[in-house]
Amino acid sequence: MKVKDIYNMLDEKFNFSSALAYDNPGHLVGSSEDEVKGIVVCLDCTEEAVDQAVNEGASLIVSHHPVIFDGLKAVTDESIVYRLIRAGISVISVHTNLDQADGGVNDALCRKAGLINIEKVADHEGFLYRIGELEEPLTADEFAEKVSESLSYPVKYVGTNTHIKRVAVCSGSGGSMLYEVAEQGIDAYLTADIKHDVFMDAHAMGIALFDAGHFGTEDIIVKPLAEELKRAFPEIHITENHFSPIKFAR
């Protein structure tokens, strides 16, 4: 099995051409003709993910966040890309195309949040976020607790709603979308990386707004993505990496 075979499977399932214009997903490091001796699936292509690949003899990393995003100005021995090339490890990154695809990150986040009757809604860029409903209405406090427990991640929020039923969901950095999703008649919005002024605006608008962290709202796709790859390529050893360097003080 070659790198190009893994890429083709991911492209068929998650369609790289559906990524947003600013994005840089795809086969980003290595040769498409290299044999795949093992795969590590991760959110970020960190030193720790590379260590795991090296230790396990894996020759491919499949990451959510692109290992190369902006234009590279240099590839020195201090860069992840340099180390990957020296180690003979290829990288395929599946980003905004995975966020919005069927069975992708937003759908995974809806499941974690306990939503039903899911619908896809396109924002002004054509990005497909989700809106769903809770089976039973919850208060903002109850919903925050539910999400935090489900994601095993702290949740920051505003909201005095005593009747949250209709919830918009966008994994990762979706704070700037508040003003669009508010037009959909929602009670609450679950996303991450929310700025202070957006929290204040949500409070003034009477919308419960939940920030479950970029890692918290997206690392949940690593396991389903690894399982998808295992089903397609049962002969390949595939493992997960869930490392994050982010810590919280209490």
Side-chain angles (χ1 to χ4, degrees):
M1 202 64 59
K2 296 183 178 182
V3 171
K4 65 182 180 183
D5 297 312
I6 312 300
Y7 175 88
N8 289 338
M9 171 265 171
L10 291 169
D11 188 34
E12 182 177 350
K13 181 74 178 177
F14 303 115
N15 190 4
F16 284 100
S17 66
S18 69
L20 297 182
Y22 69 82
D23 200 9
N24 189 43
H27 179 204
L28 303 182
V29 178
S31 169
S32 62
E33 295 295 330
D34 282 350
E35 291 291 332
V36 177
K37 301 171 184 176
I39 303 174
V40 172
V41 183
C42 59
L43 185 68
D44 296 286
C45 192
T46 60
E47 290 283 358
E48 288 74 13
V50 178
D51 286 343
Q52 181 172 328
V54 169
N55 292 337
E56 295 177 356
S59 59
L60 175 64
I61 292 175
V62 175
S63 69
H64 179 46
H65 293 141
V67 67
I68 300 172
F69 196 81
D70 298 316
L72 286 174
K73 296 184 182 297
V75 180
T76 67
D77 59 0
E78 297 177 347
S79 75
I80 291 282
V81 173
Y82 177 91
R83 186 179 175 204
L84 289 162
I85 293 170
R86 286 294 299 269
I89 299 172
S90 296
V91 178
I92 298 172
S93 299
V94 197
H95 195 209
T96 53
N97 51 317
L98 179 60
D99 284 324
Q100 59 183 327
D102 290 341
V105 190
N106 279 327
D107 284 339
L109 187 55
C110 285
R111 289 194 298 272
K112 289 287 188 178
L115 301 182
I116 58 173
N117 302 327
I118 310 300
E119 58 182 292
K120 301 174 189 173
V121 183
D123 77 351
H124 69 283
E125 292 185 291
F127 180 80
L128 296 172
Y129 64 96
R130 305 293 193 264
I131 293 179
E133 297 179 342
L134 290 166
E135 292 193 41
E136 298 292 337
L138 297 175
T139 67
D141 293 345
E142 289 169 339
F143 187 62
E145 188 68 29
K146 176 185 179 70
V147 171
S148 181
E149 182 177 349
S150 179
L151 299 180
S152 299
Y153 210 80
V155 175
K156 181 168 57 173
Y157 67 103
V158 296
T160 56
N161 307 51
T162 57
H163 187 94
I164 292 177
K165 181 72 172 177
R166 185 169 163 84
V167 182
V169 166
C170 179
S171 62
S173 301
S176 63
M177 290 171 55
L178 169 68
Y179 313 99
E180 278 193 71
V181 301
E183 297 174 0
Q184 301 296 324
I186 58 168
D187 303 311
Y189 179 31
L190 170 61
T191 185
D193 296 347
I194 299 169
K195 295 170 60 179
H196 178 81
D197 61 303
V198 177
F199 269 123
M200 297 303 103
D201 287 348
H203 176 68
M205 295 161 69
I207 294 174
L209 180 59
F210 301 84
D211 184 333
H214 203 119
F215 184 87
T217 60
E218 293 195 330
D219 185 65
I220 54 174
I221 198 58
V222 171
K223 185 176 182 62
L225 182 56
E227 290 174 347
E228 193 78 42
L229 287 164
K230 288 175 184 177
R231 284 191 290 272
F233 306 102
E235 70 278 21
I236 299 177
H237 183 63
I238 299 170
T239 60
E240 303 165 24
N241 179 280
H242 296 275
F243 173 79
S244 172
I246 301 169
K247 300 178 182 179
F248 297 90
R250 299 182 68 87

